[in-house]
Amino acid sequence: MSVCLENVSSAVAQLCVMMVQDRMLPVPRQIRETDALLSAQNSLIGKLKEECQMLGAKLEELAQSRRAEMEQLSLEKEHLQESAEKLRGRCEEMEEQCVQHGRMHQRMKQRLQQLDQHCQASSQQVLQLLSRQKQLMQERQQLAHDMHNLQAQVRGEKRMDTLAV
């Protein structure tokens, strides 16, 4: 379209140059050239109108496309803002849970230390009781052995007494 406009513009320019050079043209020739110039101008105006209408239509099409695109982007932005707000809330909730888990971990660690100390104390008591039991068992065995020896001695003495009588 711009090539067409250049051709029309150059034709109009040539006519103007010719008119200036031939200032003294006879009137009918001037009328014909004026008519040719008017015709070229009308043709140029028609082509410019067509191009303006075409450009206007393209501009309207682009504007409508941009409006639709902006509407879509606005919807996406709204959706992303909602998602971001939900994620922000979830993050805050998880941070609170993390703090609570940290506190619980600390309490469980303290309880575990208490149980460990209690277990060590219980183990010490069991060891002492086992040691005492072993000692008592040894004393019992010693007493049983002593008693057996005494019984054997008493029987031996009874035999001797019965033999002596």
Side-chain angles (χ1 to χ4, degrees):
M1 186 57 107
S2 62
V3 172
C4 213
L5 291 175
E6 288 175 9
N7 290 340
V8 171
S9 296
S10 94
V12 169
Q14 286 175 357
L15 283 174
C16 287
V17 168
M18 284 175 30
M19 283 179 67
V20 169
Q21 288 173 350
D22 298 328
R23 277 186 178 234
M24 304 286 232
L25 295 176
V27 175
R29 187 172 169 198
Q30 282 181 344
I31 292 174
R32 278 192 311 261
E33 287 181 2
T34 305
D35 284 344
L37 184 58
L38 283 174
S39 175
Q41 285 179 343
N42 286 338
S43 174
L44 176 62
I45 289 171
K47 289 178 182 180
L48 288 173
K49 279 184 180 179
E50 285 178 22
E51 191 170 349
C52 281
Q53 288 174 349
M54 181 187 67
L55 289 174
K58 282 184 180 180
L59 183 61
E60 183 58 36
E61 184 180 318
L62 283 173
Q64 191 170 1
S65 171
R66 293 299 178 252
R67 280 191 291 271
E69 190 176 311
M70 289 299 290
E71 187 176 322
Q72 179 63 32
L73 288 173
S74 178
L75 289 173
E76 287 179 21
K77 177 185 171 189
E78 186 178 322
H79 174 71
L80 288 173
Q81 285 175 335
E82 289 173 5
S83 293
E85 191 60 36
K86 286 178 185 176
L87 289 172
R88 197 173 295 116
R90 182 74 176 127
C91 182
E92 289 172 2
E93 182 181 313
M94 292 178 86
E95 284 175 353
E96 180 60 32
Q97 286 180 359
C98 183
V99 168
Q100 290 175 359
H101 287 167
R103 289 178 187 149
M104 184 187 308
H105 176 75
Q106 193 62 30
R107 285 192 307 266
M108 291 174 76
K109 184 177 172 183
Q110 289 172 349
R111 180 66 178 138
L112 187 59
Q113 288 173 346
Q114 289 172 350
L115 290 173
D116 187 46
Q117 290 171 354
H118 178 71
C119 185
Q120 287 179 5
S122 295
S123 295
Q124 189 64 33
Q125 286 178 346
V126 168
L127 284 175
Q128 289 172 353
L129 289 173
L130 287 173
S131 176
R132 180 71 178 136
Q133 182 184 19
K134 181 180 176 184
Q135 181 185 1
L136 290 172
M137 290 295 285
Q138 287 174 347
E139 287 177 9
R140 181 178 176 207
Q141 286 176 351
Q142 185 61 42
L143 288 173
H145 181 66
D146 290 346
M147 191 159 171
H148 180 67
N149 287 340
L150 285 173
Q151 286 175 347
Q153 189 179 4
V154 167
R155 272 187 248 137
E157 287 178 4
K158 277 187 182 180
R159 274 191 210 161
M160 286 207 191
D161 284 344
T162 352
L163 287 179
V165 175

